[in-house]
Amino acid sequence: LSSCVCLEKSEYNTYSYDPTMYGRYTQDLGVYAKEEAARLREGSQRRSVSERSRTLDLLEYDKGRCAKCRICTVRCQKFLISRVGEDWIFLILLGLLMALVSWVVDFCIAICLQAQKWMYGGLDSNVFLQYLAWVTYPVVLITFSAGFTQILAPQAVGSGIPEMKTILRGVVLKEYLTFKTFVAKVIGLTCALGSGMPLGKEGPFVHIASLCAALLSKFMSLFGGIYENESRNIEMLAAACAVGVGCCFAAPIGGVLFSIEVTSTFFAVRNYWRGFFAATFSAFIFRVLAVWNRDEETITALFKTRFRLDFPFDLQELPAFAVIGIASGFGGALFVYLNRLIVQFIRKQKAINKFLMKKRLLYPALVTLLVSTLTFPPGFGQFMAGRLTQKESLVTLLDNRTWAKQGIAEEFDYISHSQAWKHPQVNVFVTLVLFIVMKFWMSALATTIPVPCGAFMPVFVIGAAFGRLVGESMAAWFPDGIHTDGTIYPIVPGGYAVVGAAALSGAVTHTVSTAVIVFELTGQISHILPVMIAVILANAVAQSLQPSLYDSIIRIKKLPYLPELGWGHHEYYNIRVEDIMVRDVRYITLNCCYRDLHDVLLTGHLKTLALVESAESMILLGSIERAQLQSLLSQQLGRPRRLEYIRERAAAEKKRLSVVSNPGSEDGSQRANHEVRFQVREATARGAHISRARFSWFFFCWQFFCSVICPLQSSPSSSLLLFYFLQIAEWEEQQLDEQVNFNNCKIDPAPFQLVERTSLHKTHTIFSLLGLDHAYVTSIGRLIGVVSLKELRKAIEGSVTVKGVKVRPPLASFRDSGTSSSENEATELHKLWDRHKSMSLPREHVPSDSDEKSQ
Amino acid sequence: LSSCVCLEKSEYNTYSYDPTMYGRYTQDLGVYAKEEAARLREGSQRRSVSERSRTLDLLEYDKGRCAKCRICTVRCQKFLISRVGEDWIFLILLGLLMALVSWVVDFCIAICLQAQKWMYGGLDSNVFLQYLAWVTYPVVLITFSAGFTQILAPQAVGSGIPEMKTILRGVVLKEYLTFKTFVAKVIGLTCALGSGMPLGKEGPFVHIASLCAALLSKFMSLFGGIYENESRNIEMLAAACAVGVGCCFAAPIGGVLFSIEVTSTFFAVRNYWRGFFAATFSAFIFRVLAVWNRDEETITALFKTRFRLDFPFDLQELPAFAVIGIASGFGGALFVYLNRLIVQFIRKQKAINKFLMKKRLLYPALVTLLVSTLTFPPGFGQFMAGRLTQKESLVTLLDNRTWAKQGIAEEFDYISHSQAWKHPQVNVFVTLVLFIVMKFWMSALATTIPVPCGAFMPVFVIGAAFGRLVGESMAAWFPDGIHTDGTIYPIVPGGYAVVGAAALSGAVTHTVSTAVIVFELTGQISHILPVMIAVILANAVAQSLQPSLYDSIIRIKKLPYLPELGWGHHEYYNIRVEDIMVRDVRYITLNCCYRDLHDVLLTGHLKTLALVESAESMILLGSIERAQLQSLLSQQLGRPRRLEYIRERAAAEKKRLSVVSNPGSEDGSQRANHEVRFQVREATARGAHISRARFSWFFFCWQFFCSVICPLQSSPSSSLLLFYFLQIAEWEEQQLDEQVNFNNCKIDPAPFQLVERTSLHKTHTIFSLLGLDHAYVTSIGRLIGVVSLKELRKAIEGSVTVKGVKVRPPLASFRDSGTSSSENEATELHKLWDRHKSMSLPREHVPSDSDEKSQ
């Protein structure tokens, strides 16, 4: 393991994790991850070495006529292998793979949706049968998808962007980048989207691309050593995220930007190249496949628009675009809020929760039934264009013709799918409003189903519908356009749809790059200024109300996170580290004894502890991981040493006794010795099953004495037992008083340090730059405090009041209602912890907070 | 000053600097910058406090009838002031200001160019007069521009992007962000571009926007304290760079991306928002001004194209686009190389250089004369569309009609400016080739003129011409297009021009965001895939051959820089810090004496020195700036203390002598005392003019003794003098042997530390993330080495061979020929340094490397 100072990723914890929305994360001390990594590395090294030696053996063995030929081949092979290490080969392979996956998934989804239409169309004689077909098909698909992912890899559930953000921050999420997850995600996603529910493929594609990258680099590491480098893999994951978005929308630039905004807080410009390269290649192949498949004549945009170029919009239409932006901002915040509310409602209702947890597939089936019943075309669906798939409705919404010129729905010439928006009795405005309202809650609900799914595309469609609504209203209001200089330029509602789509999806995800995605999706950039203005306004509104959808999921899933600094809060510059740091630092000194170690391990639960020179000087020398200390302590006072001591004692005792009782019989003493050994082993085995708290240790000792010592002595007196107990206790105390030997202990010699005057703003920057978990605060080498992610989070989210400045984002009260449960949990945790303290020996695996909370 | 651990900007040096290409940077120890900053801060605080108290006084005094009214006003004012601190107000103001500046500059340039055309057109009776007018006009403008900037602010010369990159890295460039520079840059730029030379406005606009931001925040700091925060200002500068590009091209997205790529290595996503917001607002206002001025009917792109939407290009045209990309890559590298070659040629030719330096305005005038003579329309200019301005030629090049259908130039219908490309005798291909070749070297030459100018736009135009050339050739080759499926889609040469422009400008600047800029400039995104492919290929080629234009200028100007890690070099992961670090670290111990301090200061020239506990333990306690140590030493052994000692000695001596010679006369002794004091003062004054080396100190002592002691004694014996000398030497030795008192010394308690196993890749990441200058290498708290920017640079650019890996980018030999001079300089420096060592007292201001080199 490369042992860098502060970018050391394995300082972080591994989260073993139940990835449904109801799940919580449990953490164990990064040990597993390290061991796993070491094992893998060792394994692959051994493999490659053995492989190479085998090749040479072969060469040696086969010194026939084609030896030269073989040598040449081996050399070529070596050259190829050295080339394989190049980044660009990896990126091209990744792009190719993802383009293929994306295309195949799209193809399968299209077939699924066609099948549903065919079934529905074929049964048009009987409405009930039609309904059954319309409803059963998605229910079956969604249930299968949910069940399949649940069984194969529960990690595949959901969008994947929140988890990728966490992984890119340096946290190791277990089982998150495995082949099983890949299979579950791809098949689950295809089924889920094939059902026609309002779900998206963008978030999952980010995850799939990362899976591809991880698996590819695992595969490539068979050839070259470079693929084992950890920081390189992180960089490749960042590029993979860009590829995911890029090949999903055929939008390379937007993909790169979106993935940056969504997954990073600090971005290396050199990764940006990688992302561009891979995403462009991927988008290119993705579109070329469409051309080869005769779907398209040449490479064009996915949702091509044909707005006029010479006069795309009037300057006086800008207020309308601004209104779309602001309304989308509120809408986006509402969507995030609604989504979280649904999750929390289901979680809180214990009765429902219990029932749903038992029958895990019932919830998806129920939600699907509800949604598909409402969209049933001959039923309510006729008022909300229910028979259109997501793609079809987007195409119609971006249409460059006006639907409701002068308010009369009859006037426009419907073609193909646009027909669906027309209803003989109902105005097109009503249809649009119904579509927006229904799809809004349906999407918020559908994205809580435990299947692989994203929320980007549904939100995008809703935004387009909202934009179309505003555009149609404008067109009805100004039938001849606003421009007054002679020429008539009618208003283009399709342009409004583009603006609305970008604004709403931008508001939900807190990104501005949706603007770029929208240009790349439609193939036209003429509306750049309205789109940018609307997206920025939407972001400004949404960011002041709610976290982004991905951050919201991160909080729901209790992944470790660092909130963003909202901008415009210059209090951040005035708060100093000394205001927020924890002054009562747990530390160990260089000359401490095992007793201190023991006490420190008992009282705190930090993952790393500071090592100082002495309690007086407090000069910080480094930090030690808790696991290291625990292994030190267990070396000194663990079962092996204890057993050894007892065995020694027993042997001495036995000798003494045998000398006293029967000095002559040699074989008898041998037999007794045998017996002692056997019983020691038996007692050890028994003891291993018992919990490790101290009382059990005494119990174990008691057993041991009863079984080993007592048989040797004909009449065991209670005073003798007491004497043994005291002796053991004395030995223990003696062991604890010895000075700790740090020689074989891994010490991080340069933990990250801050000084007390560092501002909160700078601290946040450093934490997010380096992906820190905690930092020590020192004053000329003296340790005076510690700041961890928790304190930082608290200070930013507003529960610290210093110097009269209340650090609280505006409208935070609105936000609080969503996350108030966390404080209750904290108090519960405290109780648990207090109860826990009564057990006095340090456990080897300290369960984390979340572990206890989930009890 | 906020005292952060490692982002402390004032750790860096201030560069006082002669910003012409011929200039070098000199550095002094950051002290000036700190004092300046402290002065400014103190001043503004005092001012704001006094202002506030004055308002209150006024209130107190004026308790008449309108007191309430006044209180209300003051409250409103306070509220407004608190609002002024918000980021968005600052960003809107910045955007507005820059849009106005950009528009006004454009307007003035247009007028200048019109005036030239008018003059040229009016004199069509006489070719010689026409020539005179054509040539004189630009010569006068360029000479004025060069002279004006030279006199007012030489810092305004050149593009400004290299300097902004350096500033954003945390280096303080003196006088670079002042009002004078702003005026010089704006007026100089207007004149330079008004002359019609092949120069661009993009680079200077980045600088102008940064100037605007700096001045605006200085102005705003009158209202609120937040504007004094340093890290906030850096963030605002990053946003300003985006605004600069954004309002120059009306390309907000491309502007943000381009500025990120060009100025940053690591980018905070939160600054990205700021950039987007400000750049969008600025671009919006910039285009709205055009609409209000009746130049445009509505907001559209600057260089609008009208390519067909349904079939923008055929899949089989992609190889042609790829060829454009690769050729542009070579072309871009050649441009950078040529540009540097010209600068170095002029610098090396001592005779030319001397002459040019004397008559600073001659070089610009000569270059302008040459270029404008060659473009004279009735002369050679007729074969290269010489009468078109840069803007006009770009518009014609992006035209969507084919110029040379089937190879016959006559066939296409010329309108307006396109006429210029037609020549009765010469084929349009010849015109294009001549245009490309001539403009290529002209642009490379013109950008070396010491006026405010950029190279982006000229390169962009050349790229468009190259693309047009390829496109026209393709159109001539395939008159009916390549597509074979019945429909005829003729080839669009304008699309090739777009691709060529993006590819060449991307190759010169090493950016991919030129693709986005091109979409925003043309208002069409239909060619996204060809453009992306060409840009990526061009970048891949250019990056492996040459540094970017901006990095090249950074090297020419000898600004501090850290080379990028090219990608695909996985050796970077295998090299460890221990391979490149300097093991022989200069350090001081906690209990060292002044003699050690003195020796350490003499032997090294690092800016900071490590403080360790003791030479045995080597535990790193912190780092101390050289200046701090020098002040410590001078406190102990400086002139004041020496004089004090001598005065004491003299007084004692005098007393002894006066007691011996004339014990009675009291007033005589007083007079003598007076005399002594006077002469001490005189001698001090004299000594101050003499260099500070030790021999001068002895000389000074000698003078002192001759003038002070000798007159007192009637017969000064040489033995007595020797005795005095020895006594003083003894005193000095005694002083040097005292232990250093670090109490009043500023120590950085937590300098950045690495461990020896950290990879080069990680080290580079950390250095560029945190903008470090050097980092200590420790092993469990023990200092074992130091790595500075220099070692890192050396390791990356390939002069370190470790573990058999030669870290050398491919084709580096080609690159070396350009920068080979640096090694010679290094050896010269070494000689100078060795010579320098012979002078033995530490100087208070150690001149930097570059300072000595320029001798």
Side-chain angles (χ1 to χ4, degrees), chain B residues 77 134 235 337 344 396 457 512 852:
Chain B
Q77 209 178 324
W134 179 265
E235 281 178 7
Y337 181 69
Q344 278 171 346
T396 51
M457 215 51 200
V512 286
E852 280 155 35

Side-chain angles (χ1 to χ4, degrees), chain B residues 625-637:
Chain B
E625 277 181 37
R626 192 184 179 81
Q628 290 282 335
L629 291 181
Q630 274 161 339
S631 79
L632 271 185
L633 197 58
S634 67
Q635 267 169 33
Q636 181 75 1
L637 209 66

Side-chain angles (χ1 to χ4, degrees), chain A residues 157-188:
Chain A
V157 160
S159 144
I161 291 181
E163 284 85 0
M164 283 318 298
K165 188 173 187 173
T166 316
I167 288 175
L168 286 179
R169 217 191 158 270
V171 180
V172 179
L173 293 180
K174 248 199 274 182
E175 295 287 316
Y176 209 78
L177 297 173
T178 59
F179 185 69
K180 253 166 127 186
T181 316
F182 177 74
V183 171
K185 195 114 195 175
V186 170
I187 293 179

